[in-house]
Amino acid sequence: MKVEQITPYNSDSRHKADQVREMFDSIAPAYDFMNRAMTFGIDRLWRRKAVGLLRREPHGEILDIATGTGDLAILMAGRLSPCRVTGVDLSEGMVEIGRRKVRERGLEESVSLDIGDCLALPFADGSFDCVTCAYGVRNFQDLSAGYREMLRVLRPGGRIVVLELSTPSSALVRPFYKFYTRCVIPTAGRMISKDVRAYSYLPESIAAVPQRERMCALMAEAGFTATRYIDMTFGTCCIYTAVRPTEQNQ
């Protein structure tokens, strides 16, 4: 499936991954505040719902890719205890903030956050019981490759949970959503963040990423089974789940 490529800095000839790293390093100090403000705090509810979907799963080892400032990793460590959560992200600025939050909560024994490329993970095949990703897959240079890498490091029978922002399916909600994401958020982002382009990239990347059935189809193409999605808050966010098949089911 062909996925449209939207990059943070459209006039820049560098690879998307390099641009994404620069963008998140730039906005890291304002990232958590902007997340709360843009979603009116509802992003916390979405994360809690995602973690709830993993409660019945084996979760000795969890990998959180595109971990950012570590909110999902920290939440999983607290709610799925005992478990070990490894977070990986391209942005050193984001990871450093996440590490500070881990230390403040005394979670160094259960959460580790590292710099790494989500398309070339430094882990052996089948290393993790679960793999998660919150609001990150739309930033991948190659989304299909990203899902294949998730599949590789997941144990047979293990589950992935992906949260991603989406365009509302309701025709009534969509006009308000478009105004908010295309006008209000970029204006607020320019006022708070020093990166003028970052919060214009946000609605563009949401519109470009595969959503709902198309996202599930992309997961299936990568080799996952039992793909499904859950619409959250009028469809402004989707939670996707899928399973790496066991050898008997392959």
Side-chain angles (χ1 to χ4, degrees):
M1 179 187 298
K2 184 175 177 57
V3 177
E4 182 183 359
Q5 278 290 347
I6 299 293
T7 57
Y9 308 106
N10 286 334
S11 61
D12 200 321
S13 61
R14 291 173 302 157
H15 286 173
K16 182 174 182 176
D18 295 329
Q19 296 183 48
V20 166
R21 181 187 298 108
E22 177 186 335
M23 180 185 72
F24 281 110
D25 280 345
S26 173
I27 68 174
Y31 180 80
D32 285 339
F33 173 80
M34 284 298 295
N35 261 10
R36 302 295 98 78
M38 286 188 307
T39 66
F40 306 101
I42 299 174
D43 63 306
R44 292 171 173 167
L45 181 153
W46 297 338
R47 288 190 189 89
R48 289 196 294 269
K49 174 66 175 180
V51 173
L53 296 176
L54 292 173
R55 283 193 178 276
R56 296 184 178 180
E57 302 291 325
H59 42 68
E61 293 286 340
I62 298 177
L63 175 64
D64 184 41
I65 65 174
T67 195
T69 61
D71 279 349
L72 184 58
I74 290 168
L75 184 62
M76 288 190 291
R79 295 204 168 197
L80 300 178
S81 181
C83 70
R84 175 75 183 175
V85 184
T86 302
V88 174
D89 198 279
L90 281 172
S91 167
E92 185 173 354
M94 298 283 279
V95 167
E96 185 50 46
I97 291 173
R99 286 170 175 164
R100 187 187 316 148
K101 289 155 69 173
V102 169
R103 290 193 298 271
E104 289 170 353
R105 290 161 175 80
L107 293 173
E108 297 97 323
E109 295 299 316
S110 55
V111 179
S112 63
L113 306 181
D114 299 302
I115 310 299
D117 186 347
C118 299
L119 303 188
L121 295 166
F123 307 111
D125 296 359
S127 296
F128 296 94
D129 301 303
C130 307
V131 177
T132 61
C133 183
Y135 320 119
V137 296
R138 72 179 186 281
N139 298 317
F140 287 0
Q141 175 81 33
D142 184 333
L143 185 50
S144 295
Y147 279 127
R148 290 193 297 270
E149 191 68 346
M150 290 186 217
L151 184 81
R152 181 185 68 78
V153 300
L154 189 64
R155 66 166 177 79
R159 184 177 301 274
I160 65 167
V161 176
V162 173
L163 290 83
E164 192 50 86
L165 301 173
S166 54
T167 304
S169 53
S170 169
L172 293 175
V173 176
R174 204 177 301 130
F176 299 99
Y177 167 85
K178 287 183 177 179
F179 173 77
Y180 182 69
T181 56
R182 295 179 182 179
C183 299
V184 177
I185 287 177
T187 300
R190 282 192 291 270
M191 293 172 61
I192 296 170
S193 170
K194 65 181 181 180
D195 193 319
V196 175
R197 171 66 186 153
Y199 289 96
S200 296
Y201 164 76
L202 175 65
E204 294 171 7
S205 63
I206 296 170
V209 74
Q211 298 179 13
R212 301 180 177 87
E213 290 85 359
R214 289 187 65 229
M215 184 71 89
C216 288
L218 203 65
M219 291 174 164
E221 286 180 8
F224 287 101
T225 60
T227 61
R228 72 183 187 105
Y229 70 88
I230 303 169
D231 268 333
M232 302 291 291
T233 316
F234 306 109
T236 54
C237 175
C238 284
I239 302 178
Y240 301 91
T241 64
V243 173
R244 176 177 174 176
T246 60
E247 293 183 5
Q248 294 90 336
N249 295 330
Q250 288 179 328

